[in-house]
C-alpha cells in the first residue's frame, strides 16, 4: 500500500475486521485520525459505520468515508448473518463472555436433537 496515495479512502467503503473491545465509533475515530495524520482529509471529512457491532464482538464492520457515507443506509438495509460460540453448562453473572465463568452445570443429559431444535430457533428473520 502506498501511504503517499490514499485517495481511494476518500469516497468509498472499507471492510474492517473489528477487534474485540473496540467500539464501532472507535474504529471510525482511529481511521479518521490516521487519515488526518497522513494529510489526506480536511476537518469536515466524514467517516461513518454501517451498523454497530457490540464492543465484545469481532467481525466485519463496514466503514464509509467522504461521499461514500451516503451508502451507509443501503448497507444497513442488507441481509446479515451472525455466528457465535455457545458453551453449554457455563454461566456468568453478566450472561455474556465479559465476566468470568461463575457456574458450571452438567449438560450430558442434553441430546443432539434438543441442541438442533434450540439452534433452529435462532435461524431466520430475527428482529433486533
Amino acid at each position: 500500500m502506498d501511504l503517499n496515495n490514499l485517495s481511494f479512502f476518500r469516497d468509498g467503503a472499507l471492510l474492517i475486521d473489528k477487534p474485540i473491545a473496540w467500539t464501532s465509533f472507535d474504529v471510525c475515530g482511529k481511521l479518521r485520525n490516521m487519515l488526518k495524520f497522513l494529510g489526506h482529509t480536511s476537518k469536515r471529512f466524514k467517516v461513518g459505520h454501517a451498523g454497530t457491532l457490540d464492543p465484545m464482538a469481532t467481525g466485519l464492520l463496514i466503514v464509509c468515508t467522504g461521499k461514500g457515507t451516503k451508502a451507509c443506509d443501503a448497507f444497513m438495509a442488507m441481509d446479515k448473518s451472525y455466528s457465535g460460540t455457545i458453551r453449554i453448562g457455563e454461566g456468568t453473572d453478566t450472561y455474556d463472555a465479559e465476566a468470568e465463568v461463575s457456574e458450571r452445570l452438567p449438560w450430558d443429559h442434553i441430546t443432539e436433537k434438543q441442541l438442533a431444535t434450540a439452534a433452529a430457533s435462532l435461524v431466520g428473520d430475527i428482529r433486533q
Side-chain angles (χ1 to χ4, degrees):
M1 177 186 312
D2 180 8
L3 292 180
N4 293 316
N5 182 11
L6 296 177
S7 60
F8 56 87
F9 278 115
R10 290 201 183 155
D11 297 309
L14 305 169
L15 306 179
I16 297 178
D17 185 9
K18 188 191 85 59
I20 197 165
W22 286 21
T23 66
S24 300
F25 186 77
D26 289 340
V27 173
C28 291
K30 288 176 189 300
L31 178 62
R32 186 181 300 108
N33 289 339
M34 179 195 73
L35 292 172
K36 282 182 186 177
F37 176 77
L38 295 172
H40 290 281
T41 65
S42 66
K43 287 186 178 183
R44 299 179 53 153
F45 188 73
K46 293 181 181 179
V47 176
H49 56 82
T52 301
L53 287 178
D54 184 277
M56 294 308 290
T58 61
L60 179 67
L61 180 68
I62 302 171
V63 177
C64 300
T65 60
K67 293 176 185 172
T69 56
K70 293 178 182 177
C72 280
D73 288 341
F75 287 126
M76 287 191 289
M78 292 178 168
D79 289 340
K80 299 162 193 72
S81 63
Y82 302 90
S83 65
T85 301
I86 298 173
R87 294 188 176 153
I88 300 169
E90 291 186 358
T92 67
D93 294 336
T94 58
Y95 302 107
D96 59 28
E98 291 188 52
E100 293 292 321
V101 173
S102 59
E103 178 179 44
R104 285 193 172 84
L105 299 172
W107 57 273
D108 52 350
H109 63 282
I110 299 172
T111 66
E112 285 189 40
K113 183 177 180 182
Q114 289 171 317
L115 290 174
T117 300
S121 72
L122 301 173
V123 175
D125 292 340
I126 300 173
R127 185 151 178 93
Q128 289 184 294

